[in-house]
Amino acid sequence: MASSTQVAPELALEYVHSPLRVIHKLYDEHASETDDSSVNNFGKLAQEHFQTVFANSDSLKHIPVYDQAKVPNELKSGSLVRFRCMVQDPSYGEELHLTVARVLNTETGETQQKFSQFTDMEHTLSDGWEVDYGSAHNVFTEKEVAYCVSIPGQSAWTQLDQKDNLESAMEAMSLTGAADSSHGADVSVKYPIPGTAYSAALVKFYAPNTAPKVSSAIDVIGIYELGRNAKAQDSGNEDKLWPCIHAIYYSELQPQNLNSMLPELQINDYPSRHHMCLSHLTSVLGGDDLAAQYLLLHLLSKTVRVQDAKVGKLSLNLIGIPTSDQKQTAQTGFNLTNPASKWISDAISQLVPYNVSIPFDLKLLNKSTFLPSAEDGDLQAGALQLVQGTEVICDETCLSNGTLEERGVRNLHAVQTAIIDQQVTYLYPFQPIEMPTNLRFLVLSTGKSILHNDCDVYLSSSAKQFFKSMQGSPSAEQQLRPLDPMHTEQLRQYLECARHMEFSIPQPVSDLISNEYAQARRAAHKEGKKMMTQEELALTITVARLVSISKGEVELSLTSWNEAVELERCRRERNVQAKGSSN
């Protein structure tokens, strides 16, 4: 069997409904043409074959989406599904499976080889045949098992499409964070955002694939079954059935590829996209163009690790968001209740693939778990166990007077560490592990945040009035003129492409920045004024970098540097005025 085999689109449904039968046919054809050593590597060839069959986006739409479903009355075991998910716990045990078995006809002495990968089911044999367990030709495969969940904060627009003519019974099983007695152990602690509906499955990875790292975002194509798990058997839950997906292949999810239907973004497209995006964000922020510029730069930021330093990140505190009479409750959970905060969050979720909100309600801070922790070999999720590139909106407007308990203090410290160091601690019993992350933090507050952020921007008086008018006004959300779908797609593409641009600072520009910094410090010292700090210089360089990539520039120009200097001057001037007027 050649791995480049092409299959007509109309035959793709056979691969969806009976993937194991297709694999067994391919194996029988392949085994008749090759020696045993090649047969033993058939799993890899099967993976390549399925990748070829579903090589384009249109053919992939034939595969039912596992994580976009309602609870069906019956889910057909042995069908092909697609699951975009986060690896919540990559160490859910290893399993040994008899993949290639030498079978013997007890009456005639005839022998055959049977292939049975991508399933937990035992080999099905006709009468008179049995597995020769003593044969040296048997091949055992080790499977790595990971517990995977729907990607936390996945925006609605990233949901996968599929063909309408597929059976609804192929829709996935949806969990709500409650234990299900018929499908495994208690899963209430396995999803980062409590109270949120999600899908989950044990995903089993076969060589040459290995289980991805914890919190990876992956796109899995595999075979669905209800099965048992070795870890559950060790804990006395051997009779529990788990939703399992046997991964035929998977790929790492890249956010910049989620808009692949659009033509490739060209450099000369950046100015118009930049203008469109800035205009839209200015409307979102009630006409505050300065705050909108910083919000745009924040959305373009990402953490780049250079030796021990974390550069490129821009956590942003928007100051002046009014408080709300609509209070957080146990029922609202992590959902935002302040109309102004929700307005901003909803607008951002239309532009970024992953967006999670954390209301800083006192009870939520004191009762929730923000850091993932392992107990009895099981990794329990925390609110900060998120995939790379997630937008995290922290709403301080709901923070009220009261006592912050020990857990609340730990949770705030975890958020602060993630903002500054871009690390999340995974609490394992013997050794906590600091895991690098790449999260963008936007903090919404009435006064200056209790957290230390890279950049603070006070909203203009008109913007504050704009958000104040939303309180108790159901019609306020209709003030923003929505973008048409094409323009929205273009903005999403622009943000992702700009964020992932290669960027450098030419040596002449670097020398100029150093000279300007030294001259500014000398002048300030001579005049008895406050001198510019290294931290302020680093922030201005970050702003300059983001200004450059917002325009599609691959290296910092003097024009963009001067724009950044002016932006920072305006921001600091506004902040001083705002602080003065509040005293």
Side-chain angles (χ1 to χ4, degrees), residues 146-162:
Y147 190 89
C148 298
V149 298
S150 303
I151 299 174
Q154 186 170 10
S155 299
W157 61 268
T158 65
Q159 301 295 336
L160 292 165
D161 295 326
Q162 65 184 100

mmCIF file of all heavy atoms in Angstrom, residues 146-162:
data_model
loop_
_atom_site.group_PDB
_atom_site.id
_atom_site.type_symbol
_atom_site.label_atom_id
_atom_site.label_comp_id
_atom_site.label_asym_id
_atom_site.label_seq_id
_atom_site.Cartn_x
_atom_site.Cartn_y
_atom_site.Cartn_z
ATOM 1 N N ALA A 146 -3.595 9.946 27.463
ATOM 2 C CA ALA A 146 -3.712 11.310 27.993
ATOM 3 C C ALA A 146 -5.180 11.645 28.190
ATOM 4 O O ALA A 146 -6.038 11.231 27.400
ATOM 5 C CB ALA A 146 -3.055 12.322 27.064
ATOM 6 N N TYR A 147 -5.460 12.407 29.238
ATOM 7 C CA TYR A 147 -6.821 12.903 29.462
ATOM 8 C C TYR A 147 -6.927 14.262 28.779
ATOM 9 O O TYR A 147 -6.186 15.193 29.111
ATOM 10 C CB TYR A 147 -7.101 13.032 30.955
ATOM 11 C CG TYR A 147 -8.560 13.301 31.279
ATOM 12 C CD1 TYR A 147 -9.449 12.251 31.475
ATOM 13 C CD2 TYR A 147 -9.047 14.606 31.373
ATOM 14 C CE1 TYR A 147 -10.788 12.491 31.767
ATOM 15 C CE2 TYR A 147 -10.377 14.854 31.653
ATOM 16 C CZ TYR A 147 -11.247 13.791 31.856
ATOM 17 O OH TYR A 147 -12.564 14.030 32.140
ATOM 18 N N CYS A 148 -7.820 14.373 27.813
ATOM 19 C CA CYS A 148 -7.940 15.591 27.007
ATOM 20 C C CYS A 148 -9.329 16.199 27.153
ATOM 21 O O CYS A 148 -10.323 15.472 27.275
ATOM 22 C CB CYS A 148 -7.653 15.294 25.535
ATOM 23 S SG CYS A 148 -5.963 14.694 25.232
ATOM 24 N N VAL A 149 -9.390 17.513 27.139
ATOM 25 C CA VAL A 149 -10.650 18.236 27.324
ATOM 26 C C VAL A 149 -10.791 19.304 26.239
ATOM 27 O O VAL A 149 -9.818 19.683 25.590
ATOM 28 C CB VAL A 149 -10.704 18.910 28.722
ATOM 29 C CG1 VAL A 149 -10.645 17.872 29.828
ATOM 30 C CG2 VAL A 149 -9.574 19.939 28.886
ATOM 31 N N SER A 150 -12.017 19.772 26.064
ATOM 32 C CA SER A 150 -12.232 20.903 25.153
ATOM 33 C C SER A 150 -11.322 22.056 25.553
ATOM 34 O O SER A 150 -11.062 22.278 26.739
ATOM 35 C CB SER A 150 -13.689 21.374 25.228
ATOM 36 O OG SER A 150 -14.576 20.329 24.933
ATOM 37 N N ILE A 151 -10.841 22.802 24.579
ATOM 38 C CA ILE A 151 -9.907 23.891 24.862
ATOM 39 C C ILE A 151 -10.609 24.962 25.688
ATOM 40 O O ILE A 151 -11.626 25.509 25.254
ATOM 41 C CB ILE A 151 -9.351 24.484 23.556
ATOM 42 C CG1 ILE A 151 -8.588 23.407 22.781
ATOM 43 C CG2 ILE A 151 -8.447 25.675 23.855
ATOM 44 C CD1 ILE A 151 -8.114 23.856 21.417
ATOM 45 N N PRO A 152 -10.102 25.277 26.874
ATOM 46 C CA PRO A 152 -10.757 26.297 27.714
ATOM 47 C C PRO A 152 -10.806 27.653 27.013
ATOM 48 O O PRO A 152 -9.816 28.103 26.434
ATOM 49 C CB PRO A 152 -9.856 26.351 28.962
ATOM 50 C CG PRO A 152 -9.129 25.050 28.976
ATOM 51 C CD PRO A 152 -8.930 24.679 27.541
ATOM 52 N N GLY A 153 -11.973 28.276 27.060
ATOM 53 C CA GLY A 153 -12.114 29.608 26.487
ATOM 54 C C GLY A 153 -12.159 29.650 24.983
ATOM 55 O O GLY A 153 -12.014 30.734 24.389
ATOM 56 N N GLN A 154 -12.373 28.510 24.324
ATOM 57 C CA GLN A 154 -12.388 28.499 22.861
ATOM 58 C C GLN A 154 -13.547 29.345 22.345
ATOM 59 O O GLN A 154 -14.702 29.116 22.686
ATOM 60 C CB GLN A 154 -12.504 27.068 22.350
ATOM 61 C CG GLN A 154 -12.378 26.954 20.844
ATOM 62 C CD GLN A 154 -12.265 25.505 20.389
ATOM 63 O OE1 GLN A 154 -12.458 24.584 21.160
ATOM 64 N NE2 GLN A 154 -11.946 25.311 19.125
ATOM 65 N N SER A 155 -13.227 30.336 21.528
ATOM 66 C CA SER A 155 -14.251 31.235 20.997
ATOM 67 C C SER A 155 -15.164 30.496 20.023
ATOM 68 O O SER A 155 -14.742 29.560 19.341
ATOM 69 C CB SER A 155 -13.598 32.430 20.298
ATOM 70 O OG SER A 155 -12.812 33.175 21.215
ATOM 71 N N ALA A 156 -16.410 30.944 19.965
ATOM 72 C CA ALA A 156 -17.411 30.257 19.139
ATOM 73 C C ALA A 156 -16.990 30.195 17.676
ATOM 74 O O ALA A 156 -17.271 29.208 16.981
ATOM 75 C CB ALA A 156 -18.760 30.955 19.284
ATOM 76 N N TRP A 157 -16.300 31.229 17.198
ATOM 77 C CA TRP A 157 -15.973 31.268 15.768
ATOM 78 C C TRP A 157 -14.906 30.257 15.374
ATOM 79 O O TRP A 157 -14.706 29.995 14.184
ATOM 80 C CB TRP A 157 -15.545 32.672 15.348
ATOM 81 C CG TRP A 157 -14.319 33.208 16.044
ATOM 82 C CD1 TRP A 157 -14.278 33.948 17.183
ATOM 83 C CD2 TRP A 157 -12.950 33.067 15.619
ATOM 84 N NE1 TRP A 157 -12.977 34.278 17.515
ATOM 85 C CE2 TRP A 157 -12.148 33.747 16.561
ATOM 86 C CE3 TRP A 157 -12.327 32.440 14.538
ATOM 87 C CZ2 TRP A 157 -10.758 33.800 16.458
ATOM 88 C CZ3 TRP A 157 -10.942 32.503 14.433
ATOM 89 C CH2 TRP A 157 -10.181 33.181 15.388
ATOM 90 N N THR A 158 -14.229 29.664 16.352
ATOM 91 C CA THR A 158 -13.203 28.657 16.033
ATOM 92 C C THR A 158 -13.790 27.259 15.938
ATOM 93 O O THR A 158 -13.072 26.319 15.599
ATOM 94 C CB THR A 158 -12.092 28.648 17.090
ATOM 95 O OG1 THR A 158 -12.639 28.214 18.353
ATOM 96 C CG2 THR A 158 -11.479 30.011 17.257
ATOM 97 N N GLN A 159 -15.085 27.105 16.261
ATOM 98 C CA GLN A 159 -15.682 25.774 16.238
ATOM 99 C C GLN A 159 -15.636 25.209 14.821
ATOM 100 O O GLN A 159 -15.815 25.911 13.840
ATOM 101 C CB GLN A 159 -17.126 25.825 16.732
ATOM 102 C CG GLN A 159 -17.277 26.365 18.144
ATOM 103 C CD GLN A 159 -16.634 25.477 19.183
ATOM 104 O OE1 GLN A 159 -16.462 24.283 18.973
ATOM 105 N NE2 GLN A 159 -16.271 26.056 20.311
ATOM 106 N N LEU A 160 -15.420 23.918 14.750
ATOM 107 C CA LEU A 160 -15.271 23.259 13.463
ATOM 108 C C LEU A 160 -16.612 23.105 12.752
ATOM 109 O O LEU A 160 -17.651 22.914 13.381
ATOM 110 C CB LEU A 160 -14.650 21.866 13.664
ATOM 111 C CG LEU A 160 -13.195 21.855 14.147
ATOM 112 C CD1 LEU A 160 -12.829 20.474 14.659
ATOM 113 C CD2 LEU A 160 -12.259 22.271 13.018
ATOM 114 N N ASP A 161 -16.552 23.171 11.423
ATOM 115 C CA ASP A 161 -17.718 22.885 10.601
ATOM 116 C C ASP A 161 -17.701 21.412 10.211
ATOM 117 O O ASP A 161 -16.656 20.764 10.223
ATOM 118 C CB ASP A 161 -17.702 23.724 9.316
ATOM 119 C CG ASP A 161 -17.839 25.200 9.609
ATOM 120 O OD1 ASP A 161 -18.549 25.533 10.582
ATOM 121 O OD2 ASP A 161 -17.233 25.999 8.874
ATOM 122 N N GLN A 162 -18.873 20.878 9.869
ATOM 123 C CA GLN A 162 -18.914 19.521 9.362
ATOM 124 C C GLN A 162 -20.099 19.384 8.408
ATOM 125 O O GLN A 162 -21.006 20.211 8.382
ATOM 126 C CB GLN A 162 -19.009 18.495 10.490
ATOM 127 C CG GLN A 162 -20.292 18.556 11.308
ATOM 128 C CD GLN A 162 -20.275 17.592 12.463
ATOM 129 O OE1 GLN A 162 -20.012 17.969 13.591
ATOM 130 N NE2 GLN A 162 -20.561 16.344 12.189
#
